[in-house]
Amino acid sequence: MKATLKILLGLIGGAVIGLGIAYLIIVLMDGPDAIENLKTKDIGIGKLCVSIAVTFASLIVAVVMQFALHETGHALGGLATGFRFLSIRLFKYAIVREADGKLRYKKFNIAGTGGQCLMDFDKDREPGDIPFFWYNAGGVMMNILSAALAIIALRMFDLPMVAEVFCMMTAFAAIMIGGMNGIPLSMNGLSNDGRNIMLLWRDKKARGFFFRMMQMAGGLSRGERLKDMPEEWFQDVKPEGKDDYFTITNRMNYMTWLEDRGRYDEARAICEELDSIEKLPTLLAMEKNADHIMLELLTTNRKAVVDTIMTKQMMRYLEANKAYSPMKTAALYAFNLLCRNDKEKADALYEELKAKKNDYLMPGEALMAIEMAEAVKSCVNKE
């Protein structure tokens, strides 16, 4: 019922926005009396249909273009301040720089995001010396710039209808996407650019966690394992609550580092600690649970705990993301092998994991996932 209601509200909201945009197009093209003229049929129905069709087509192109420009802005802002390019993603399509420096096309996705630009540093720095602003602000700056150019074109030039509509939709999409990323918000457990800047500006400790997170991403993308990275990158610091975003992400990285070192009981204890945080953001909880299910099955294997973790929502999340995330595939492998006793499906997931190990965005994560899957297999063989 709730899902149906959300779909209906989304359709109604989209229809209202579409009608509003169509109204603005007609008024801007034919003046303030356009709607009254439409009622008296002074405006042909053909022109109206063309206007609406051009509007929606322009809006789709403008939105895709603004997402692409937003991620390009992050890349330019990062490169200008000393970051090193790792990957850039638009929806689920990514261009990745591999360990040998060559660029390669891969697929990756994070629920609730239209894109992502990952970068790191090739040299260590002090947390207070991290140039975080332009990397985080570059995307919004690019949206603002394109909105300004579109508005200038509308005000200064007598454009044909299609160009005029496209500039309007460009300005609309740029302001919407720029606003959604620039106004400090947390969506699905992920901080947007504006909130990142705010948190990093306020807290030197958060800047340190942010910097290490970028370095870890760089290592994983080059096929390195977390367990082989410097131990001082992984700090044993407990978060103060659900709003302590960078400390939560650091805690999850510390948990994954323990996991990669085979310290499964300690890693599971941190999962349980994170469970105690009231209203842990949904996406972070789902990401944590993908590891938690593996850790629980490899250690205490309590049926009640497994059932609590592996809800229908969690199963849908794992199935939806296993194509992009090796840990999701490994979690499904463990669950099917140890809980469902479905060896055929488990074996298929295991073979998929090994076959795609170089195709994942983070090959280093894939190596860890394969090792954990083999630990699960060893549990079965011992029995």
Side-chain angles (χ1 to χ4, degrees):
M1 184 63 184
K2 286 183 180 179
T4 304
L5 185 60
K6 284 182 180 179
I7 293 171
L8 288 173
L9 289 173
L11 290 172
I12 293 168
V16 170
I17 292 171
L19 288 171
I21 293 171
Y23 174 85
L24 289 173
I25 293 292
I26 294 169
V27 169
L28 287 171
M29 288 175 61
D30 296 296
D33 298 326
I35 299 300
E36 192 62 35
N37 292 336
L38 180 60
K39 291 178 181 177
T40 60
K41 298 185 180 179
D42 288 341
I43 296 178
I45 192 68
K47 185 176 183 180
L48 175 62
C49 291
V50 170
S51 296
I52 293 173
V54 170
T55 297
F56 279 101
S58 297
L59 182 59
I60 292 169
V61 174
V63 167
V64 173
M65 184 179 77
Q66 287 305 313
F67 275 122
L69 286 173
H70 183 89
E71 300 309 327
T72 301
H74 282 306
L76 293 175
L79 291 171
T81 50
F83 283 81
R84 177 172 57 178
F85 175 79
L86 294 177
S87 67
I88 190 166
R89 172 177 64 85
L90 182 62
F91 303 111
K92 65 179 182 179
Y93 306 104
I95 300 296
V96 182
R97 191 185 73 170
E98 304 224 287
D100 59 4
K102 294 181 180 178
L103 297 179
R104 183 182 172 191
Y105 161 77
K106 293 186 178 183
K107 287 186 177 182
F108 182 69
N109 193 33
I110 298 176
T113 65
Q116 185 183 43
C117 177
L118 288 178
M119 308 187 85
D120 75 342
F121 283 94
D122 58 354
K123 295 180 180 179
D124 216 354
R125 289 177 179 243
E126 288 297 319
D129 190 38
I130 298 167
F132 65 88
F133 179 80
W134 289 109
Y135 167 73
N136 282 283
V140 174
M141 294 294 188
M142 188 68 83
N143 294 135
I144 292 172
L145 177 61
S146 59
L149 291 175
I151 291 169
I152 290 169
L154 286 167
R155 296 295 299 271
M156 293 187 64
F157 302 105
D158 184 17
L159 301 171
M161 184 192 80
V162 173
E164 185 177 36
V165 171
F166 180 72
C167 285
M168 288 181 63
M169 294 302 99
T170 295
F172 172 77
I175 292 168
M176 287 292 293
I177 292 171
M180 286 171 59
N181 285 278
I183 299 169
L185 296 169
S186 178
M187 295 174 283
N188 276 343
L190 292 177
S191 287
N192 69 358
D193 300 328
R195 189 164 184 260
N196 279 344
I197 292 170
M198 182 181 71
L199 294 173
L200 294 170
W201 197 287
R202 289 176 177 175
D203 189 358
K204 183 177 179 179
K205 181 182 71 175
R207 293 198 292 276
F209 292 153
F210 169 76
F211 180 53
R212 295 306 185 199
M213 184 170 63
M214 303 295 278
Q215 288 182 303
M216 290 172 210
L220 289 170
S221 71
R222 291 187 292 272
E224 299 171 19
R225 297 276 294 271
L226 290 180
K227 68 178 184 179
D228 299 323
M229 296 179 192
E231 188 170 343
E232 60 268 22
W233 288 11
F234 304 91
Q235 296 185 39
D236 185 3
V237 180
K238 293 184 179 181
E240 296 177 1
K242 65 181 179 64
D243 296 323
D244 197 0
Y245 175 70
F246 283 104
T247 310
I248 291 174
T249 56
N250 170 75
R251 197 65 171 158
M252 292 176 66
N253 288 332
Y254 179 67
M255 175 270 293
T256 310
W257 175 74
L258 291 173
E259 189 176 22
D260 199 19
R261 290 201 157 197
R263 294 159 64 176
Y264 298 144
D265 284 295
E266 294 172 74
R268 190 198 74 248
I270 290 179
C271 288
E272 292 168 354
E273 171 200 304
L274 290 169
D275 278 337
S276 69
I277 296 176
E278 187 177 356
K279 296 181 179 178
L280 184 68
T282 303
L283 184 59
L284 295 179
M286 291 288 192
E287 285 294 310
K288 184 273 299 178
N289 282 342
D291 291 84
H292 195 176
I293 188 67
M294 292 277 288
L295 293 165
E296 178 63 31
L297 290 171
L298 281 168
T299 54
T300 51
N301 197 3
R302 295 162 292 183
K303 185 178 185 304
V305 175
V306 171
D307 290 343
T308 300
I309 299 170
M310 194 59 81
T311 61
K312 289 182 179 180
Q313 182 186 24
M314 187 63 202
M315 180 61 76
R316 287 195 298 269
Y317 183 76
L318 293 175
E319 290 286 357
N321 291 281
K322 71 180 179 68
Y324 316 113
S325 171
M327 284 304 296
K328 311 300 185 297
T329 306
L332 286 169
Y333 165 77
F335 183 72
N336 278 282
L337 187 64
L338 299 179
C339 297
R340 288 183 168 174
N341 296 315
D342 189 343
K343 189 175 183 304
E344 184 178 350
K345 185 171 182 180
D347 287 345
L349 287 164
Y350 181 71
E351 292 304 320
E352 178 186 343
L353 183 60
K354 290 200 300 181
K356 293 176 61 177
K357 67 179 182 181
N358 294 320
D359 296 330
Y360 292 111
L361 186 68
M362 305 284 186
E365 182 189 2
L367 294 175
M368 183 183 81
I370 291 169
E371 187 172 295
M372 290 195 71
E374 288 171 350
V376 170
K377 184 182 284 189
S378 297
C379 290
V380 175
N381 292 337
K382 286 178 184 178
E383 293 174 2

